[in-house]
Amino acid sequence: MLITGAGSGIGQACVLRILDEGARVVAADISAEGLADTVEKSGSAHDRLTTVQIDVGDEESVRRGVAAARDELGGLDTLVNAAGILRSSHLEHTSLSDFETVIRVNLVGTFLVTREALGALREGTTPAVVNFSSTSAQFAHPYMGAYAASKGGVLSMTHAWALEFAKAGIRFNCVQPGSISSGMTDGTGVARASVGPGLPEDADLSLFAKVAPMLALPGGAIFADPAAVASVVAMLGSDDAFFVTGTEIRVDGGAHM
């Protein structure tokens, strides 16, 4: 299995969960520091874990990284596109550079990695792709227009690819995390993932009232542990989801019922 965005947050949680399932994993991230942290946290499972640095927004970096992952694994059965960034601002203060950077990493990055992995997936055993959309793709999240646009694109691509490759036996699904603690939401990630929500100082927090999770979290926490998403990703990437394709699963504690 190849997992991008594996150096922190939900991507790292996916690596650790899949390793617990006994699989071999190539963890990819732009940050060497983040990958080293993932290896350290993998404990005794580190012998089934290999890392590769990939900038998902750079075509040549993706080519090299996916090829290295394929060679390491001897093929590819499952791809998890978890790499992503979040930048928030008022529309009138959003630079073209920031908007394009979010689109480049989240949307174009998902396209590039999937395209390069397709040949290996065609030859894989019950191949599956799990993409990362977001609840913001279908529900209003203020100050996050670029992020919402990128994740809406991922959602649409996932549906299109699911139909295009259904006869080839490749399943395409996506998860839509909401209210999950990660490098994007708490600013504790590294490299590109270090850009947290960065809400404007004058942000109207009352606008977020409709996106609060309904399920209670321990200690009154606002964000759930990334493991909540990793467990769903593990299912979608496994044979347990053999009859699931072209759909999305929200993991948001009931915030968007």
Side-chain angles (χ1 to χ4, degrees), residues 30 56 82-88 97-107 146-148 150-151 183-185 190-197:
I30 193 173
V56 298
I85 60 172
L86 169 62
R87 293 181 179 176
S88 308
S97 175
D98 280 351
F99 187 92
E100 289 180 334
T101 297
V102 172
I103 298 296
R104 184 75 186 179
V105 175
N106 296 354
L107 181 58
Y147 183 75
S150 70
K151 294 303 186 177
M184 290 193 296
T185 58
V190 291
R192 277 184 169 162
S194 66
V195 183

Side-chain angles (χ1 to χ4, degrees), residues 18 22 29 40 43 47 51 61-62 65 87 95 97 109 121 132 135 137-138 144 152 166 184 186 207 226 236 238 244:
I18 300 303
D29 200 280
E40 181 178 353
D47 60 330
T51 64
S61 177
V62 170
R87 293 181 179 176
S95 69
S97 175
L121 288 167
F132 269 63
T135 52
Q138 294 169 297
M144 301 180 189
M184 290 193 296
D186 58 23
L207 297 177
L236 289 174
S238 75
V244 182

Side-chain angles (χ1 to χ4, degrees), residues 174-185:
C174 64
V175 290
Q176 294 184 309
S179 300
I180 304 295
S181 177
S182 70
M184 290 193 296
T185 58

Side-chain angles (χ1 to χ4, degrees), residues 1 15-27 35-52 72-73:
M1 180 179 293
V15 172
L16 301 180
R17 173 58 188 259
I18 300 303
L19 287 173
D20 283 345
E21 298 283 343
R24 294 174 60 203
V25 177
V26 173
L35 290 173
D37 182 60
T38 300
V39 171
E40 181 178 353
K41 290 177 179 175
S42 68
S44 61
H46 73 275
D47 60 330
R48 288 184 281 106
L49 174 64
T50 305
T51 64
V52 58
E72 173 64 28
L73 296 169

